[in-house]
Amino acid sequence: MDLNFTETQDIVRTTAREFMARYYPKSLVRELEEEPIGFREDIWKEAANLGWLGWVIPEEYGGVGGDFLELIVLLEEMGKACFMLPFFSTVICSLPILAAGTKEQKEELLPKIAQGEMIFSLAFTEPSATYEAAGIETKAVADGNDYVINGTKLFIHDAQVAHSFLCAARTETDKANPENGITLFVVDAKSPGIKITPLEAIADDKQTEVIFKDVKVSKDAMIGEINQGFPIIKRLLEQAAVAKCAEMMGGADWMVENCVAYAIERVQYGKPIGSYGIIQSYLSEMWAEVGIAKRLMYYAAWLVAQGGPCAKEVAMAKSLASEVYRSQTRMGVQIFGGIGTTREHDMGLYYRRARQAALLFGDPISMRERVAQEIGL
Amino acid sequence: MDFQLTPEQQALKNEFEKFFSEEIKNAPPNWSGNLMALFESDENWAYHRSVADKLGEKGWLSLPWPKKYGGQEHSYFEQLLFNEVRAYYRVPGVDMWGPQIVAPSILEHGSEEIKNTWLPRISRGEINWCQGWSEPNAGSDLASLATKAVENGDDYVLNGQKIWTSGAHRADHMFLMARTDPDVPKHKGITYFLTDIDKPGITIRELLFMHKKRDYNEVFFDNFRIPKKNIVGDINKGWYVTMAGINFERSMIGSVSELQGELEELVELCKGTERNGKTLAKDPLVRQKLAQLAIELEAAKNWAYYVSHLQSKGQNVPAESSAAKWFSSELTVRFANTVIEIMGLYGTLKEGSKWAMLDGRFEDMCQISLGITIAGGTTETMKNIISWMGLKLPR
Ligand SMILES: Cc1cc2nc3c(=O)[nH]c(=O)nc-3n(C[C@H](O)[C@H](O)[C@H](O)COP(=O)(O)OP(=O)(O)OC[C@H]3O[C@@H](n4cnc5c(N)ncnc54)[C@H](O)[C@@H]3O)c2cc1C
């Protein structure tokens, strides 16, 4: 047992901090929030140059060959900086390609991802608003050498800039077991029949509705076996849930740091507000809860990286990180007082993101239900 | 970052598992295994003593001490594994104070004579200690204690009162602090004593806990004599001697691990208990509540491992260990109260009733858990430490 960060993990963190300080000020976050596309080519290229997009892609496919925990450290820094470019979407889509793609698919797609030439968007959720298999109603029907996809994907991040979708569709209906009959496809975002409509949401992250109307994909674009997509997705959702925890916990670190600094600097009644017991109580709980949720996140991430079963721990980590981030960003605003409620203050960026992230890749209620199953209930 | 135990750690843990899973079979019939259970009856106390002797023989009461004084020179992490396994099986046998509170103070501040006199006896599990620190007017602000010790020949003579002295009615020795100089700032006039208590000048009076059982006591000194050779560290330097007492495994893994065992039993109970035509296990609200407890336990466990990891690297971790104390003790209260709520009307029945669930352990726990958030530093004191020492907030 060694709970220290590795040297590489430390380097990743330092590099990411320098990168964010140099290229990614909060003023840019605000600009990106207001823009419908919300993309910056130059920053994207810089990130690709650092190897970030291919961090967990093996060297033989043009990546860095790093490990999942290093990615987690990187995502923490992105969460801290409110990084909005489609890094998260692209990287999580690269994982199932890596895990289940054919050699040809990997050779075709992964180097492009690693070089920043191919942005991916995960087209999974639908109006059913669930990450359970039963929620997938979009259909893909065989037609010669192609499949034809029809359906509506909802809450889809980064479709507006994506070159490709990783799309989950139903190729067979098995009422008894909805996990059967789902297939994954890589779909060119320029395919005829795709209609993308932006959604405005609390975090101003780029969510969309994506309608697939008679969209044709070649059989070769299938990732994994026909009807066998859900196990791949399950794994992907575990990875994505922990990755989301990392973003949240990075944001939480920003909050603790800045709330403590403000409590020391802000004077009322002739004393720093941080000298009042009530504020100390808020801050000590904030620091402790964030720290505790973060250690659970690292454990879940380590299990994910080991490749073994981790459903229980991932669900635990996602539920706790979400709850802590939500409740503590609420306290964070309180500590700043009136200024914390303004559009111009940074605290609101995190408060809004906490509400969004809690629901992505497993909200606390469904994660607890997963835990209940896993502990034998 | 690597969460895998080393083969040596795993082997040691297996050894602990083997021992404690066997030893719990010797528990007397009404053994609940909670923090206060050992004091509850003569049978329970005898069980505690028999395990203590075995642990002493194995050298497991002195895992992190130097070899020179009978220790095993393990790190805090191995101590954590021991505490984790023992608490999971709810086996007693470790004096609440000797190995982990008194010994570190002796190791850091005791003379060779003190070390050679006391450490071997502590590591053999011979001594039953009680802690004479708190007083009626010195709780969180412990340094304001007023019990007086006055020099007289080869002895000091004590007069005053202690309170909340856990297990004093079972103990044979006390470690205590008394004021030896009233004319200096409060931290600077305190001395640290070790004493046997089977002699004149001391009165131990029962003070019942709200659940009507006896844990703590009031203790009165009336010209009680302690030989000078039983002073640890220098005269008037006792406060700093107690500070060394924070050098123990402070992760709170024991509370967490005990509850982990309880959770497993609770899951089985919910699967086998029908309410309103379905089992409790099928009730979505019950599922959410138990899952939340499981999550908080796993989080507390990981935090405990982290604290122990930092300690093993030689770091002093006031804020982290205070967070562990705060989170785990408050979790114990939440846990007990949630269980009672889930059990419904059965939840409040005491042990001994044929209707009681899980031997009424939670009727008990929802009361005694309150002590954990107060004893050894209150929840508020933990937050103060985090604020002042961790976050460096102004006072
Ligand atoms: C079950 C149990 C067993 C115990 N066993 C022992 C034992 O064996 N030996 C022993 O010596 N002692 C023992 N204690 C005593 C324990 O250490 C004290 O109760 C504890 O230190 C608190 O002191 P107090 O009870 O006087 O409360 P007080 O210190 O009077 O506190 C009352 C309230 O005020 C709060 N408070 C106090 N100061 C501050 C502050 N600066 N900021 C914010 N809030 C504050 C406290 O947190 C608490 O909520 C035991 C206590 C219990 C409950």
Side-chain angles (χ1 to χ4, degrees):
Chain A
M1 170 109 24
D2 180 4
L3 304 185
N4 279 347
F5 289 105
T6 63
E7 206 178 317
T8 316
Q9 286 159 1
D10 285 335
I11 293 170
V12 168
R13 184 183 307 104
T14 311
T15 314
R17 277 187 194 168
E18 285 165 7
F19 180 95
M20 296 302 164
R22 183 150 167 215
Y23 298 109
Y24 201 79
K26 285 280 165 31
S27 55
L28 179 58
V29 178
R30 290 165 199 292
E31 277 177 41
L32 294 172
E33 282 201 338
E34 300 303 327
E35 296 171 8
I37 301 295
F39 188 68
R40 290 290 182 278
E41 188 72 35
D42 52 338
I43 297 181
W44 187 250
K45 281 285 167 229
E46 281 300 328
N49 286 342
L50 286 171
W52 287 357
L53 285 155
W55 199 267
V56 290
I57 295 174
E59 287 172 68
E60 54 175 318
Y61 300 115
V64 170
D67 75 20
F68 188 71
L69 274 162
E70 290 152 11
L71 181 64
I72 289 295
V73 169
L74 177 55
L75 282 162
E76 279 184 64
E77 294 308 313
M78 290 185 167
K80 195 182 269 181
C82 303
F83 198 68
M84 291 184 70
L85 303 186
F87 177 84
F88 192 96
S89 295
T90 302
V91 168
I92 59 166
C93 288
S94 73
L95 299 171
I97 296 172
L98 188 59
T102 63
K103 192 158 190 302
E104 290 73 31
Q105 288 169 333
K106 290 188 210 175
E107 281 171 352
E108 156 75 13
L109 300 169
L110 295 178
K112 287 188 191 154
I113 290 176
Q115 279 152 36
E117 286 161 12
M118 189 174 259
I119 295 170
F120 258 92
S121 164
L122 178 65
F124 178 74
T125 42
E126 302 194 0
S128 57
T130 170
Y131 292 90
E132 300 295 327
I136 302 296
E137 288 174 12
T138 292
K139 289 215 162 47
V141 179
D143 177 17
N145 270 335
D146 295 332
Y147 277 84
V148 179
I149 303 179
N150 275 290
T152 299
K153 293 290 180 182
L154 199 57
F155 319 111
I156 304 309
H157 281 84
D158 302 319
Q160 80 291 352
V161 287
H163 302 100
S164 301
F165 291 105
L166 185 66
C167 176
R170 199 161 276 294
T171 37
E172 200 176 277
T173 305
D174 181 345
K175 281 259 154 59
N177 182 4
E179 295 195 1
N180 278 339
I182 292 174
T183 306
L184 280 175
F185 297 96
V186 171
V187 183
D188 186 334
K190 298 271 164 342
S191 309
I194 293 181
K195 183 164 168 265
I196 300 170
T197 312
L199 302 170
E200 293 200 9
I202 190 165
D204 290 309
D205 49 354
K206 307 306 167 194
Q207 294 187 54
T208 62
E209 171 205 68
V210 183
I211 295 176
F212 290 76
K213 177 133 193 2
D214 297 329
V215 175
K216 271 198 174 165
V217 285
S218 149
K219 273 189 171 145
D220 299 339
M222 191 187 290
I223 301 291
E225 302 290 315
I226 178 104
N227 295 329
Q228 305 297 313
F230 204 71
I232 305 169
I233 290 169
K234 255 192 179 159
R235 191 72 193 160
L236 160 67
L237 292 176
E238 287 168 356
Q239 292 163 323
V242 178
K244 203 38 90 178
C245 288
E247 277 191 354
M248 289 194 281
M249 292 294 97
D253 276 347
W254 178 91
M255 168 181 64
V256 174
E257 232 170 80
N258 285 273
C259 287
V260 169
Y262 188 70
I264 291 172
E265 159 202 318
R266 172 73 177 168
V267 172
Q268 283 295 286
Y269 301 99
K271 290 204 292 187
I273 58 166
S275 65
Y276 296 115
I278 291 182
I279 298 290
Q280 293 184 348
S281 177
Y282 292 164
L283 286 173
S284 53
E285 283 196 18
M286 179 188 281
W287 174 84
E289 285 193 1
V290 168
I292 290 168
K294 206 165 155 182
R295 299 318 300 189
L296 183 56
M297 182 263 289
Y298 288 135
Y299 179 52
W302 179 79
L303 285 174
V304 167
Q306 300 302 297
C310 57
K312 179 171 80 177
E313 291 79 4
V314 167
M316 287 176 158
K318 181 62 175 46
S319 170
L320 188 67
S322 302
E323 295 285 21
V324 165
Y325 198 30
R326 272 202 301 219
S327 62
Q328 292 300 348
T329 44
R330 181 257 173 280
M331 297 321 295
V333 173
Q334 194 68 20
I335 282 166
F336 284 104
I339 193 73
T341 63
T342 60
R343 183 74 183 177
E344 78 183 78
H345 193 272
D346 290 346
M347 191 59 230
L349 295 173
Y350 296 88
Y351 179 84
R352 291 187 285 118
R353 275 160 182 72
R355 266 118 208 97
Q356 182 65 55
L359 306 179
L360 297 173
F361 306 106
D363 62 281
I365 293 175
S366 56
M367 291 291 93
R368 284 193 291 267
E369 172 53 30
R370 173 86 39 87
V371 171
Q373 291 163 18
E374 294 287 333
I375 61 174
L377 284 171
Chain B
M1 223 178 279
D2 184 1
F3 289 78
Q4 193 81 49
L5 297 182
T6 65
E8 295 77 27
Q9 289 167 342
Q10 189 60 56
L12 193 60
K13 189 174 181 196
N14 292 347
E15 231 185 295
F16 297 149
E17 292 268 356
K18 201 168 142 229
F19 177 82
F20 288 114
S21 61
E22 277 305 312
E23 199 53 50
I24 189 62
K25 294 176 187 161
N26 301 326
N30 287 328
W31 178 250
S32 70
N34 70 44
L35 214 56
M36 299 183 183
L38 71 171
F39 301 132
E40 277 171 15
S41 66
D42 292 345
E43 275 175 306
N44 286 5
W45 183 253
Y47 175 47
H48 163 67
R49 284 299 329 153
S50 82
V51 185
D53 290 339
K54 292 180 196 171
L55 293 177
E57 197 140 307
K58 285 178 162 298
W60 287 357
L61 295 174
S62 49
L63 291 169
W65 307 3
K67 288 221 164 89
K68 192 173 163 200
Y69 299 110
Q72 317 297 314
E73 295 192 357
H74 279 303
S75 78
Y76 288 119
F77 193 74
E78 279 78 19
Q79 180 72 55
L80 167 133
L81 294 177
F82 174 86
N83 295 352
E84 180 176 17
V85 175
R86 185 177 77 87
Y88 180 83
Y89 289 103
R90 303 204 284 263
V91 175
V94 181
D95 185 84
M96 219 181 273
W97 314 107
Q100 294 201 55
I101 306 283
V102 183
S105 285
I106 293 180
L107 281 164
E108 198 168 320
H109 296 282
S111 62
E112 275 312 299
E113 192 196 336
I114 288 267
K115 286 177 181 160
N116 292 327
T117 310
W118 295 95
L119 291 175
R121 300 183 63 197
I122 296 174
S123 78
R124 285 198 299 268
E126 274 173 31
I127 304 181
N128 302 297
W129 293 98
C130 61
Q131 180 197 37
W133 288 10
S134 304
E135 298 183 3
N137 289 318
S140 301
D141 182 12
L142 184 58
S144 64
L145 59 88
T147 292
K148 251 196 207 148
V150 177
E151 195 175 357
N152 183 303
D154 287 341
D155 297 337
Y156 271 80
V157 178
L158 274 75
N159 282 287
Q161 185 197 342
K162 297 291 174 182
I163 192 171
W164 317 120
T165 325
S166 296
H169 54 303
R170 299 266 174 204
D172 38 54
H173 286 75
M174 180 188 282
F175 63 107
L176 64 93
M177 285 195 284
R179 188 154 302 285
T180 36
D181 187 346
D183 300 324
V184 290
K186 58 185 180 180
H187 294 89
K188 298 191 168 157
I190 294 171
T191 301
Y192 191 111
F193 295 92
L194 307 175
T195 181
D196 62 310
I197 53 176
D198 190 15
K199 60 184 182 187
I202 183 168
T203 307
I204 295 166
R205 192 185 292 164
E206 171 181 87
L207 184 57
L208 287 182
F209 200 84
M210 70 165 81
H211 67 342
K212 216 167 54 175
K213 290 180 187 170
R214 186 172 185 183
D215 166 75
Y216 42 47
N217 300 270
E218 291 181 284
V219 176
F220 300 87
F221 299 115
D222 179 13
N223 292 326
F224 180 72
R225 301 186 84 90
I226 305 180
K228 282 181 181 169
K229 67 173 175 23
N230 286 6
I231 290 171
V232 183
D234 295 332
I235 308 281
N236 293 329
K237 294 282 160 48
W239 186 257
Y240 310 97
V241 178
T242 65
M243 291 292 122
I246 61 169
N247 293 327
F248 65 99
E249 193 278 296
R250 302 176 72 195
S251 72
M252 292 293 283
I253 189 71
S255 310
V256 180
S257 185
E258 181 188 335
L259 293 179
Q260 187 62 44
E262 296 286 10
L263 183 73
E264 288 161 18
E265 288 194 41
L266 209 54
V267 166
E268 292 314 310
L269 179 83
C270 288
K271 289 205 279 200
T273 305
E274 283 213 8
R275 196 77 40 90
N276 300 323
K278 62 179 181 201
T279 64
L280 286 174
K282 294 225 166 83
D283 180 330
L285 266 176
V286 170
R287 296 170 73 81
Q288 288 283 316
K289 281 174 189 282
L290 285 185
Q292 181 62 27
L293 293 178
I295 291 167
E296 292 180 18
L297 277 180
E298 187 66 37
K301 176 180 163 183
N302 273 280
W303 186 255
Y305 272 58
Y306 176 59
V307 170
S308 164
H309 157 79
L310 294 177
Q311 285 195 290
S312 295
K313 301 268 174 228
Q315 294 186 36
N316 186 10
V317 286
E320 287 82 359
S321 58
S322 298
K325 166 85 173 37
W326 163 68
F327 190 77
S328 297
S329 62
E330 294 290 340
L331 171 55
T332 309
V333 177
R334 286 197 292 280
F335 194 106
N337 282 286
T338 305
V339 173
I340 289 193
E341 187 189 5
I342 289 173
M343 287 175 171
L345 290 169
Y346 288 96
T348 55
L349 294 180
K350 288 177 185 283
E351 81 176 273
S353 164
K354 68 171 182 174
W355 296 103
M357 285 180 162
L358 298 179
D359 306 321
R361 283 205 298 279
F362 289 91
E363 179 271 336
D364 212 71
M365 196 195 281
C366 85
Q367 296 171 77
I368 63 169
S369 57
L370 300 175
I372 314 177
T373 63
I374 294 169
T378 64
T379 282
E380 294 70 29
T381 299
M382 296 303 108
K383 289 187 183 180
N384 284 340
I385 295 173
I386 294 172
S387 297
W388 300 335
M389 302 183 74
L391 303 178
K392 306 276 191 291
L393 292 170
R395 301 180 67 158

Coordinates of all heavy atoms in Angstrom, one line a residue, chain B residues 7 47 229 251 337:
Chain B
P7 N 2.6 -8.2 0.4 CA 2.5 -9.5 0.9 C 2.7 -9.7 2.4 O 2.0 -10.4 3.0 CB 3.6 -10.3 0.1 CG 3.9 -9.5 -1.1 CD 3.6 -8.1 -0.7
Y47 N -13.6 -11.9 30.1 CA -13.3 -12.1 28.7 C -12.2 -11.2 28.2 O -11.3 -11.6 27.6 CB -14.6 -12.0 27.9 CG -14.5 -12.2 26.4 CD1 -13.7 -13.2 25.9 CD2 -15.1 -11.3 25.6 CE1 -13.6 -13.3 24.5 CE2 -15.0 -11.4 24.2 CZ -14.3 -12.4 23.7 OH -14.2 -12.6 22.3
K229 N 8.8 9.0 41.9 CA 9.4 8.2 40.8 C 8.4 7.9 39.8 O 8.7 7.4 38.7 CB 10.1 7.0 41.4 CG 9.2 6.0 42.0 CD 10.0 4.7 42.3 CE 9.4 3.6 43.1 NZ 8.1 3.3 43.1
S251 N -6.6 7.0 13.2 CA -7.4 7.1 12.0 C -8.9 6.8 12.3 O -9.7 7.0 11.5 CB -6.9 6.0 11.0 OG -7.3 4.7 11.5
N337 N -28.8 5.8 14.7 CA -30.2 6.4 14.7 C -30.9 5.9 13.4 O -32.1 5.7 13.4 CB -30.1 7.9 14.8 CG -29.9 8.3 16.2 OD1 -30.8 8.3 17.0 ND2 -28.7 8.7 16.6

